[in-house]
Amino acid sequence: MKHLVVLTGAGISAESGIATFRDKNGLWNQVDAMQLASVSGFRRNRALALEFYNARRAQLATVHPNHAHEVLAQLERDYRVSIITQNVDDLHERAGSTNVLHLHGELTKVTGMNNPNNPDCITTKPLTEPILLGDKAADGSQMRPFVVLFGEPVPQMTRAMQIVESADIMVIIGTSLVVYPAANLLNEVPWRAPRYVIDPNVVADADTLGFTHIAAKATEGIDQLVEQLNAL
Ligand code: APR
C-alpha cells in the first residue's frame, strides 16, 4: 500500500464548528494568544489561561468529525495513512483514523506545569471536567492541558519529519503554514511524491513547492482529492 501522509490544521475542523486561528473570525483575533496560550501567559495568569482552555475543552465535547475527517479515516482501506495534525482536537480519532500524530498536543489530555512531557503526568481527563486551580498532576504540580504552548518545544517534530520523509503521496489540509517548526515539514516531502493542498485560500509555501491546489473547503475538497488520487 502507498504511504499517504496528511498534514492537517485548524481548517479541517472549521466545518465541525471549531474556530481557526488566523481567519477573520479566528481565535487569535478574539483573544491575545501570547497572554493565554504561552508559557509566560500561563505563569502570569494561570486562572485566565485555564479558563481559556476549559472553554475549548468544553466546546470540543459538543462538536463532531466532519466529512473530511471521515474520508481520511476511510482512506485507510486503500493506503497506509499517517496523519500529522497541528490540531489539539480528537476529531481525526473520533472519525476512525488510527494513526494520528499530534504536533501541538491534545485537549483530551492533561499534564503538570513542572514537566509537561513527563509521561507519568500525562493522562486523559473528561472534556466536560474543567481543570481547576489546585488540581494536581502526578508530580504534585498544577495540572494543565497537554498542549504545546507558544515558547515550548515540539517534541514530536523529529517523528513527524521521519513520517513525511517516507511519504509516497503528501496532502496538506487546512493550515496556513505560518507556525514553526510544523511548517518546516514541507521541506521534507520527497521530491517524487505527488502533493496536494486543500484550502479555500492560496497557501503560499505550498504553491511554491509544487502542491496541486484544490481550492475548496475541506468537506468538498476531500472528494476532489479522492478523485485525483484514484487517477494516479
Ligand atoms: N476547509 C479547509 N481549510 C480552511 C477552511 C475550511 N473550511 N477554513 C479555513 N481554512 C484554512 C485557512 O485558509 C487557513 O489556511 O485553514 C487555515 C487555517 O490557518 P490557521 O488559522 O493559521 O490554523 P493553523 O495553520 O492550523 O495554525 C497552526 O498555530 O496558533 C497555533 O497551535 C496553533 O496549531 C495551531 C497553529
PDB file of all heavy atoms in Angstrom, residues 123-150:
ATOM      1  N   THR A 123      -2.211  12.307  31.273  1.00  0.00           N
ATOM      2  CA  THR A 123      -3.350  11.389  31.400  1.00  0.00           C
ATOM      3  C   THR A 123      -4.578  12.018  30.744  1.00  0.00           C
ATOM      4  O   THR A 123      -4.574  13.212  30.437  1.00  0.00           O
ATOM      5  CB  THR A 123      -3.624  11.083  32.898  1.00  0.00           C
ATOM      6  OG1 THR A 123      -4.702  10.159  32.997  1.00  0.00           O
ATOM      7  CG2 THR A 123      -3.982  12.346  33.655  1.00  0.00           C
ATOM      8  N   THR A 124      -5.592  11.209  30.517  1.00  0.00           N
ATOM      9  CA  THR A 124      -6.806  11.782  29.926  1.00  0.00           C
ATOM     10  C   THR A 124      -7.692  12.338  31.039  1.00  0.00           C
ATOM     11  O   THR A 124      -7.588  11.928  32.189  1.00  0.00           O
ATOM     12  CB  THR A 124      -7.621  10.712  29.159  1.00  0.00           C
ATOM     13  OG1 THR A 124      -7.872   9.626  30.056  1.00  0.00           O
ATOM     14  CG2 THR A 124      -6.858  10.229  27.932  1.00  0.00           C
ATOM     15  N   LYS A 125      -8.504  13.334  30.663  1.00  0.00           N
ATOM     16  CA  LYS A 125      -9.461  13.904  31.633  1.00  0.00           C
ATOM     17  C   LYS A 125     -10.713  14.238  30.831  1.00  0.00           C
ATOM     18  O   LYS A 125     -10.615  14.871  29.769  1.00  0.00           O
ATOM     19  CB  LYS A 125      -8.877  15.161  32.268  1.00  0.00           C
ATOM     20  CG  LYS A 125      -9.778  15.810  33.338  1.00  0.00           C
ATOM     21  CD  LYS A 125      -9.086  17.063  33.926  1.00  0.00           C
ATOM     22  CE  LYS A 125      -9.958  17.779  34.946  1.00  0.00           C
ATOM     23  NZ  LYS A 125     -10.184  16.989  36.186  1.00  0.00           N
ATOM     24  N   PRO A 126     -11.892  13.817  31.303  1.00  0.00           N
ATOM     25  CA  PRO A 126     -13.118  14.080  30.528  1.00  0.00           C
ATOM     26  C   PRO A 126     -13.229  15.557  30.145  1.00  0.00           C
ATOM     27  O   PRO A 126     -12.980  16.450  30.974  1.00  0.00           O
ATOM     28  CB  PRO A 126     -14.233  13.667  31.497  1.00  0.00           C
ATOM     29  CG  PRO A 126     -13.600  12.629  32.393  1.00  0.00           C
ATOM     30  CD  PRO A 126     -12.171  13.079  32.555  1.00  0.00           C
ATOM     31  N   LEU A 127     -13.573  15.807  28.888  1.00  0.00           N
ATOM     32  CA  LEU A 127     -13.618  17.193  28.381  1.00  0.00           C
ATOM     33  C   LEU A 127     -14.601  18.064  29.165  1.00  0.00           C
ATOM     34  O   LEU A 127     -14.456  19.282  29.225  1.00  0.00           O
ATOM     35  CB  LEU A 127     -14.012  17.174  26.898  1.00  0.00           C
ATOM     36  CG  LEU A 127     -12.963  16.635  25.945  1.00  0.00           C
ATOM     37  CD1 LEU A 127     -13.571  16.412  24.562  1.00  0.00           C
ATOM     38  CD2 LEU A 127     -11.749  17.583  25.862  1.00  0.00           C
ATOM     39  N   THR A 128     -15.596  17.417  29.775  1.00  0.00           N
ATOM     40  CA  THR A 128     -16.605  18.216  30.492  1.00  0.00           C
ATOM     41  C   THR A 128     -16.155  18.558  31.915  1.00  0.00           C
ATOM     42  O   THR A 128     -16.830  19.293  32.619  1.00  0.00           O
ATOM     43  CB  THR A 128     -17.932  17.422  30.578  1.00  0.00           C
ATOM     44  OG1 THR A 128     -17.614  16.106  31.080  1.00  0.00           O
ATOM     45  CG2 THR A 128     -18.579  17.306  29.202  1.00  0.00           C
ATOM     46  N   GLU A 129     -15.004  18.009  32.323  1.00  0.00           N
ATOM     47  CA  GLU A 129     -14.475  18.337  33.657  1.00  0.00           C
ATOM     48  C   GLU A 129     -13.436  19.450  33.532  1.00  0.00           C
ATOM     49  O   GLU A 129     -12.373  19.248  32.944  1.00  0.00           O
ATOM     50  CB  GLU A 129     -13.785  17.106  34.272  1.00  0.00           C
ATOM     51  CG  GLU A 129     -14.725  16.080  34.862  1.00  0.00           C
ATOM     52  CD  GLU A 129     -13.925  14.896  35.428  1.00  0.00           C
ATOM     53  OE1 GLU A 129     -12.701  15.065  35.732  1.00  0.00           O
ATOM     54  OE2 GLU A 129     -14.492  13.794  35.504  1.00  0.00           O
ATOM     55  N   PRO A 130     -13.702  20.645  34.053  1.00  0.00           N
ATOM     56  CA  PRO A 130     -12.712  21.729  33.953  1.00  0.00           C
ATOM     57  C   PRO A 130     -11.467  21.417  34.778  1.00  0.00           C
ATOM     58  O   PRO A 130     -11.525  20.681  35.759  1.00  0.00           O
ATOM     59  CB  PRO A 130     -13.446  22.945  34.518  1.00  0.00           C
ATOM     60  CG  PRO A 130     -14.587  22.416  35.304  1.00  0.00           C
ATOM     61  CD  PRO A 130     -14.926  21.074  34.762  1.00  0.00           C
ATOM     62  N   ILE A 131     -10.348  21.952  34.326  1.00  0.00           N
ATOM     63  CA  ILE A 131      -9.086  21.860  35.083  1.00  0.00           C
ATOM     64  C   ILE A 131      -9.085  23.048  36.037  1.00  0.00           C
ATOM     65  O   ILE A 131      -9.156  24.206  35.585  1.00  0.00           O
ATOM     66  CB  ILE A 131      -7.873  21.949  34.140  1.00  0.00           C
ATOM     67  CG1 ILE A 131      -7.959  20.888  33.032  1.00  0.00           C
ATOM     68  CG2 ILE A 131      -6.575  21.796  34.941  1.00  0.00           C
ATOM     69  CD1 ILE A 131      -6.976  21.129  31.889  1.00  0.00           C
ATOM     70  N   LEU A 132      -9.044  22.784  37.315  1.00  0.00           N
ATOM     71  CA  LEU A 132      -9.182  23.870  38.302  1.00  0.00           C
ATOM     72  C   LEU A 132      -7.847  24.214  38.952  1.00  0.00           C
ATOM     73  O   LEU A 132      -6.951  23.365  39.050  1.00  0.00           O
ATOM     74  CB  LEU A 132     -10.190  23.448  39.381  1.00  0.00           C
ATOM     75  CG  LEU A 132     -11.589  23.050  38.866  1.00  0.00           C
ATOM     76  CD1 LEU A 132     -12.443  22.521  40.003  1.00  0.00           C
ATOM     77  CD2 LEU A 132     -12.244  24.206  38.138  1.00  0.00           C
ATOM     78  N   LEU A 133      -7.709  25.464  39.355  1.00  0.00           N
ATOM     79  CA  LEU A 133      -6.539  25.846  40.155  1.00  0.00           C
ATOM     80  C   LEU A 133      -6.536  24.932  41.378  1.00  0.00           C
ATOM     81  O   LEU A 133      -7.573  24.751  42.034  1.00  0.00           O
ATOM     82  CB  LEU A 133      -6.650  27.304  40.596  1.00  0.00           C
ATOM     83  CG  LEU A 133      -6.120  28.356  39.605  1.00  0.00           C
ATOM     84  CD1 LEU A 133      -6.264  29.741  40.230  1.00  0.00           C
ATOM     85  CD2 LEU A 133      -4.674  28.071  39.221  1.00  0.00           C
ATOM     86  N   GLY A 134      -5.378  24.342  41.657  1.00  0.00           N
ATOM     87  CA  GLY A 134      -5.311  23.430  42.807  1.00  0.00           C
ATOM     88  C   GLY A 134      -5.365  21.979  42.396  1.00  0.00           C
ATOM     89  O   GLY A 134      -4.916  21.096  43.137  1.00  0.00           O
ATOM     90  N   ASP A 135      -5.864  21.706  41.176  1.00  0.00           N
ATOM     91  CA  ASP A 135      -5.799  20.319  40.677  1.00  0.00           C
ATOM     92  C   ASP A 135      -4.328  19.980  40.443  1.00  0.00           C
ATOM     93  O   ASP A 135      -3.585  20.793  39.874  1.00  0.00           O
ATOM     94  CB  ASP A 135      -6.557  20.176  39.347  1.00  0.00           C
ATOM     95  CG  ASP A 135      -8.077  20.197  39.539  1.00  0.00           C
ATOM     96  OD1 ASP A 135      -8.525  20.134  40.710  1.00  0.00           O
ATOM     97  OD2 ASP A 135      -8.795  20.303  38.527  1.00  0.00           O
ATOM     98  N   LYS A 136      -3.937  18.810  40.897  1.00  0.00           N
ATOM     99  CA  LYS A 136      -2.519  18.453  40.810  1.00  0.00           C
ATOM    100  C   LYS A 136      -2.283  17.307  39.822  1.00  0.00           C
ATOM    101  O   LYS A 136      -3.118  16.387  39.733  1.00  0.00           O
ATOM    102  CB  LYS A 136      -2.013  18.004  42.193  1.00  0.00           C
ATOM    103  CG  LYS A 136      -2.172  19.066  43.291  1.00  0.00           C
ATOM    104  CD  LYS A 136      -1.112  20.097  43.190  1.00  0.00           C
ATOM    105  CE  LYS A 136      -1.163  21.055  44.400  1.00  0.00           C
ATOM    106  NZ  LYS A 136      -1.042  22.465  43.978  1.00  0.00           N
ATOM    107  N   ALA A 137      -1.141  17.394  39.141  1.00  0.00           N
ATOM    108  CA  ALA A 137      -0.694  16.268  38.306  1.00  0.00           C
ATOM    109  C   ALA A 137       0.055  15.287  39.215  1.00  0.00           C
ATOM    110  O   ALA A 137       0.261  15.558  40.405  1.00  0.00           O
ATOM    111  CB  ALA A 137       0.230  16.795  37.205  1.00  0.00           C
ATOM    112  N   ALA A 138       0.472  14.156  38.630  1.00  0.00           N
ATOM    113  CA  ALA A 138       1.119  13.092  39.434  1.00  0.00           C
ATOM    114  C   ALA A 138       2.385  13.598  40.143  1.00  0.00           C
ATOM    115  O   ALA A 138       2.777  13.083  41.184  1.00  0.00           O
ATOM    116  CB  ALA A 138       1.467  11.926  38.517  1.00  0.00           C
ATOM    117  N   ASP A 139       3.041  14.605  39.568  1.00  0.00           N
ATOM    118  CA  ASP A 139       4.286  15.118  40.210  1.00  0.00           C
ATOM    119  C   ASP A 139       3.974  16.219  41.219  1.00  0.00           C
ATOM    120  O   ASP A 139       4.885  16.916  41.704  1.00  0.00           O
ATOM    121  CB  ASP A 139       5.275  15.618  39.140  1.00  0.00           C
ATOM    122  CG  ASP A 139       4.734  16.846  38.383  1.00  0.00           C
ATOM    123  OD1 ASP A 139       3.567  17.242  38.648  1.00  0.00           O
ATOM    124  OD2 ASP A 139       5.472  17.377  37.549  1.00  0.00           O
ATOM    125  N   GLY A 140       2.709  16.435  41.493  1.00  0.00           N
ATOM    126  CA  GLY A 140       2.351  17.415  42.532  1.00  0.00           C
ATOM    127  C   GLY A 140       2.242  18.835  42.025  1.00  0.00           C
ATOM    128  O   GLY A 140       1.875  19.754  42.770  1.00  0.00           O
ATOM    129  N   SER A 141       2.577  19.035  40.724  1.00  0.00           N
ATOM    130  CA  SER A 141       2.488  20.415  40.215  1.00  0.00           C
ATOM    131  C   SER A 141       1.075  20.697  39.699  1.00  0.00           C
ATOM    132  O   SER A 141       0.282  19.762  39.478  1.00  0.00           O
ATOM    133  CB  SER A 141       3.510  20.621  39.086  1.00  0.00           C
ATOM    134  OG  SER A 141       3.176  19.853  37.941  1.00  0.00           O
ATOM    135  N   GLN A 142       0.797  21.958  39.470  1.00  0.00           N
ATOM    136  CA  GLN A 142      -0.533  22.348  38.987  1.00  0.00           C
ATOM    137  C   GLN A 142      -0.852  21.639  37.669  1.00  0.00           C
ATOM    138  O   GLN A 142      -0.035  21.605  36.750  1.00  0.00           O
ATOM    139  CB  GLN A 142      -0.558  23.873  38.761  1.00  0.00           C
ATOM    140  CG  GLN A 142      -1.778  24.395  37.994  1.00  0.00           C
ATOM    141  CD  GLN A 142      -3.092  24.214  38.740  1.00  0.00           C
ATOM    142  OE1 GLN A 142      -3.198  24.534  39.934  1.00  0.00           O
ATOM    143  NE2 GLN A 142      -4.093  23.686  38.034  1.00  0.00           N
ATOM    144  N   MET A 143      -2.016  21.085  37.604  1.00  0.00           N
ATOM    145  CA  MET A 143      -2.459  20.425  36.372  1.00  0.00           C
ATOM    146  C   MET A 143      -2.716  21.458  35.270  1.00  0.00           C
ATOM    147  O   MET A 143      -3.130  22.594  35.544  1.00  0.00           O
ATOM    148  CB  MET A 143      -3.749  19.644  36.651  1.00  0.00           C
ATOM    149  CG  MET A 143      -4.207  18.758  35.519  1.00  0.00           C
ATOM    150  SD  MET A 143      -5.776  17.921  35.933  1.00  0.00           S
ATOM    151  CE  MET A 143      -5.138  16.597  36.995  1.00  0.00           C
ATOM    152  N   ARG A 144      -2.396  21.080  34.042  1.00  0.00           N
ATOM    153  CA  ARG A 144      -2.615  21.990  32.888  1.00  0.00           C
ATOM    154  C   ARG A 144      -2.988  21.126  31.687  1.00  0.00           C
ATOM    155  O   ARG A 144      -2.748  19.918  31.672  1.00  0.00           O
ATOM    156  CB  ARG A 144      -1.372  22.804  32.582  1.00  0.00           C
ATOM    157  CG  ARG A 144      -0.149  21.953  32.300  1.00  0.00           C
ATOM    158  CD  ARG A 144       0.972  22.707  31.665  1.00  0.00           C
ATOM    159  NE  ARG A 144       0.909  22.599  30.211  1.00  0.00           N
ATOM    160  CZ  ARG A 144       1.896  22.982  29.397  1.00  0.00           C
ATOM    161  NH1 ARG A 144       2.985  23.547  29.887  1.00  0.00           N
ATOM    162  NH2 ARG A 144       1.786  22.840  28.081  1.00  0.00           N
ATOM    163  N   PRO A 145      -3.514  21.708  30.628  1.00  0.00           N
ATOM    164  CA  PRO A 145      -3.826  20.897  29.446  1.00  0.00           C
ATOM    165  C   PRO A 145      -2.547  20.396  28.780  1.00  0.00           C
ATOM    166  O   PRO A 145      -1.496  21.064  28.857  1.00  0.00           O
ATOM    167  CB  PRO A 145      -4.583  21.855  28.527  1.00  0.00           C
ATOM    168  CG  PRO A 145      -4.265  23.218  29.018  1.00  0.00           C
ATOM    169  CD  PRO A 145      -3.922  23.111  30.459  1.00  0.00           C
ATOM    170  N   PHE A 146      -2.624  19.225  28.178  1.00  0.00           N
ATOM    171  CA  PHE A 146      -1.454  18.641  27.498  1.00  0.00           C
ATOM    172  C   PHE A 146      -1.406  19.213  26.091  1.00  0.00           C
ATOM    173  O   PHE A 146      -1.722  18.564  25.091  1.00  0.00           O
ATOM    174  CB  PHE A 146      -1.567  17.111  27.465  1.00  0.00           C
ATOM    175  CG  PHE A 146      -0.395  16.457  26.764  1.00  0.00           C
ATOM    176  CD1 PHE A 146       0.917  16.667  27.167  1.00  0.00           C
ATOM    177  CD2 PHE A 146      -0.619  15.637  25.658  1.00  0.00           C
ATOM    178  CE1 PHE A 146       1.984  16.064  26.517  1.00  0.00           C
ATOM    179  CE2 PHE A 146       0.446  15.030  24.990  1.00  0.00           C
ATOM    180  CZ  PHE A 146       1.745  15.254  25.414  1.00  0.00           C
ATOM    181  N   VAL A 147      -1.085  20.491  25.999  1.00  0.00           N
ATOM    182  CA  VAL A 147      -0.943  21.170  24.699  1.00  0.00           C
ATOM    183  C   VAL A 147       0.398  21.896  24.696  1.00  0.00           C
ATOM    184  O   VAL A 147       0.920  22.254  25.745  1.00  0.00           O
ATOM    185  CB  VAL A 147      -2.090  22.177  24.435  1.00  0.00           C
ATOM    186  CG1 VAL A 147      -3.437  21.489  24.345  1.00  0.00           C
ATOM    187  CG2 VAL A 147      -2.103  23.272  25.492  1.00  0.00           C
ATOM    188  N   VAL A 148       0.948  22.087  23.480  1.00  0.00           N
ATOM    189  CA  VAL A 148       2.219  22.804  23.357  1.00  0.00           C
ATOM    190  C   VAL A 148       1.910  24.296  23.366  1.00  0.00           C
ATOM    191  O   VAL A 148       1.173  24.786  22.502  1.00  0.00           O
ATOM    192  CB  VAL A 148       2.939  22.417  22.046  1.00  0.00           C
ATOM    193  CG1 VAL A 148       4.203  23.253  21.875  1.00  0.00           C
ATOM    194  CG2 VAL A 148       3.279  20.924  22.038  1.00  0.00           C
ATOM    195  N   LEU A 149       2.424  25.002  24.333  1.00  0.00           N
ATOM    196  CA  LEU A 149       2.199  26.452  24.439  1.00  0.00           C
ATOM    197  C   LEU A 149       3.252  27.176  23.605  1.00  0.00           C
ATOM    198  O   LEU A 149       4.349  26.653  23.362  1.00  0.00           O
ATOM    199  CB  LEU A 149       2.299  26.890  25.906  1.00  0.00           C
ATOM    200  CG  LEU A 149       1.298  26.239  26.879  1.00  0.00           C
ATOM    201  CD1 LEU A 149       1.615  26.661  28.316  1.00  0.00           C
ATOM    202  CD2 LEU A 149      -0.125  26.585  26.509  1.00  0.00           C
ATOM    203  N   PHE A 150       2.916  28.382  23.175  1.00  0.00           N
ATOM    204  CA  PHE A 150       3.923  29.197  22.477  1.00  0.00           C
ATOM    205  C   PHE A 150       5.138  29.341  23.402  1.00  0.00           C
ATOM    206  O   PHE A 150       4.996  29.631  24.594  1.00  0.00           O
ATOM    207  CB  PHE A 150       3.360  30.593  22.168  1.00  0.00           C
ATOM    208  CG  PHE A 150       2.385  30.587  21.026  1.00  0.00           C
ATOM    209  CD1 PHE A 150       1.029  30.762  21.265  1.00  0.00           C
ATOM    210  CD2 PHE A 150       2.817  30.398  19.710  1.00  0.00           C
ATOM    211  CE1 PHE A 150       0.111  30.753  20.218  1.00  0.00           C
ATOM    212  CE2 PHE A 150       1.916  30.406  18.657  1.00  0.00           C
ATOM    213  CZ  PHE A 150       0.563  30.576  18.914  1.00  0.00           C
TER     214      PHE A 150
END
